[in-house]
């Protein structure tokens, strides 16, 4: 069964450093999501792509976070500079389209620790 | 303000019993509501979707209800097993922002 791939699985960095996360969605899925999940909370949407276009980045801290999906396939989320409060699980998900009934398939996540 | 509330405390139940988890919401009018399962250190896995005009949805040992008057969804696992131990998240469709909003989840532990 096809899965969403993410790397790295774990990342430890010091504050003020730059970090990058990669996501490869299920083949054929047009919609890609990046979520942040703080321990004990639910996932919070950071950015949503439809093909290569950003359709929602209202919760993305744009002063330090950036995301791209250049060819409408895989995607990278970057944080520069990282802050202590960025420690969280970063989840990537994909769905066929941006429909209300489309299932979101999540990857295993990247656990970020900022020291 | 808008809120989604799930029991923050863990729910412990005995194997074989029915587990019932609650998702309450305020100041939303979701047309769709989803339930996910999340194991520690893993991404959520989709379980069920229920529409506002559906009162109940079933899948194997799982049952979801959706009461738009009470602004509540209930998630039931019948004949629970230790393997059902996980965190269960509800997510509701926010037509204002055109995205699903997740609750904080309820941790379920099924005791053998």
């Amino acid at each position: 069964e096809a899965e969403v791939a993410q790397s790295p699985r774990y990342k430890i960095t010091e504050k003020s450093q730059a970090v990058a996360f990669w996501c490869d969605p299920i083949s054929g899925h047009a919609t890609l999501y990046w979520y942040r999940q703080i321990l004990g909370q639910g996932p919070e949407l950071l950015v949503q792509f439809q093909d290569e276009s950003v359709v929602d980045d209202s919760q993305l801290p744009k002063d330090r976070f950036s995301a791209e999906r250049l060819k409408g396939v895989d995607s990278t989320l970057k944080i520069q500079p990282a802050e202590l409060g960025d420690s969280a699980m970063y989840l990537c998900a994909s769905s066929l389209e941006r429909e209300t009934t489309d299932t979101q398939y999540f990857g295993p996540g990247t656990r970020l620790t900022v020291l | 303000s808008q809120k989604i509330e799930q029991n923050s405390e863990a729910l412990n139940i005995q194997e074989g019993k029915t587990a019932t988890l609650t998702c309450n919401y305020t100041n939303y009018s979701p047309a769709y509501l989803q339930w996910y399962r999340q194991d520690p250190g893993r991404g959520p896995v989709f379980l069920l979707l229920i529409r506002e005009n559906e009162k109940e949805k079933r899948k194997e040992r799982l049952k979801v209800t959706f009461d738009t008057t009470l602004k509540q969804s209930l998630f039931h696992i019948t004949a629970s097993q230790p393997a059902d131990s996980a965190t269960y998240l509800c997510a509701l469709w926010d037509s204002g922002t055109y995205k699903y909003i997740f609750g904080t989840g309820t941790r379920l532990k099924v005791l053998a």
Side-chain angles (χ1 to χ4, degrees):
Chain A
E1 185 177 302
E3 294 180 342
V4 175
Q6 288 188 249
S7 66
R9 291 293 312 277
Y10 305 92
K11 180 70 178 178
I12 300 174
T13 191
E14 293 185 347
K15 63 179 181 178
S16 79
Q17 296 298 304
V19 292
F21 313 132
W22 177 79
C23 172
D24 191 13
I26 292 173
S27 178
H29 281 195
T31 309
L32 185 147
Y33 313 79
W34 282 103
Y35 288 89
R36 176 172 58 190
Q37 185 174 25
I38 296 169
L39 198 62
Q41 297 185 21
E44 176 195 15
L45 183 68
L46 292 175
V47 61
Q48 180 179 349
F49 290 90
Q50 183 68 20
D51 298 312
E52 66 276 6
S53 301
V54 173
V55 295
D56 184 347
D57 63 357
S58 57
Q59 300 304 309
L60 189 71
K62 297 179 190 65
D63 56 335
R64 297 185 300 107
F65 286 63
S66 64
E68 61 183 15
R69 193 184 183 198
L70 291 176
K71 296 182 180 178
V73 181
D74 58 340
S75 175
T76 303
L77 178 70
K78 296 179 182 176
I79 308 175
Q80 182 174 18
E83 295 180 353
L84 295 177
D86 297 331
S87 295
M89 175 78 90
Y90 290 83
L91 294 161
C92 178
S94 69
S95 62
L96 271 174
E97 293 294 339
R98 199 184 166 209
E99 298 299 328
T100 55
T101 57
D102 278 346
T103 298
Q104 292 187 44
Y105 295 87
F106 284 82
T110 296
R111 168 71 66 187
L112 173 67
T113 302
V114 182
L115 303 175
Chain B
S1 64
Q2 295 176 313
K3 267 194 309 186
I4 303 171
E5 291 180 319
Q6 295 187 254
N7 288 356
S8 57
E9 293 184 14
L11 178 64
N12 293 335
I13 65 164
Q14 211 58 39
E15 182 177 9
K17 300 294 186 183
T18 295
T20 299
L21 284 64
T22 305
C23 176
N24 294 305
Y25 56 91
T26 309
N27 291 328
Y28 285 105
S29 298
Y32 306 89
L33 193 145
Q34 298 181 345
W35 282 88
Y36 287 79
R37 169 185 172 138
Q38 186 172 25
D39 292 291
R42 308 288 294 273
V45 174
F46 171 80
L47 296 174
L48 283 166
L49 175 143
I50 188 165
R51 294 169 169 80
E52 63 177 341
N53 60 351
E54 297 175 318
K55 297 299 181 188
E56 182 180 296
K57 199 81 168 279
R58 291 176 184 261
K59 179 183 174 183
E60 297 172 352
R61 295 185 295 112
L62 309 180
K63 184 178 85 170
V64 172
T65 64
F66 192 6
D67 190 326
T68 56
T69 302
L70 291 179
K71 295 187 180 295
Q72 179 182 80
S73 175
L74 298 178
F75 177 82
H76 305 272
I77 306 175
T78 58
S80 59
Q81 304 165 3
D84 295 326
S85 298
T87 294
Y88 292 86
L89 299 157
C90 69
L92 52 85
W93 179 255
D94 179 14
S95 58
T97 56
Y98 208 75
K99 61 188 175 188
Y100 277 96
I101 310 295
F102 283 81
T104 56
T106 297
R107 192 154 50 91
L108 172 68
K109 186 168 184 180
V110 181
L111 306 169

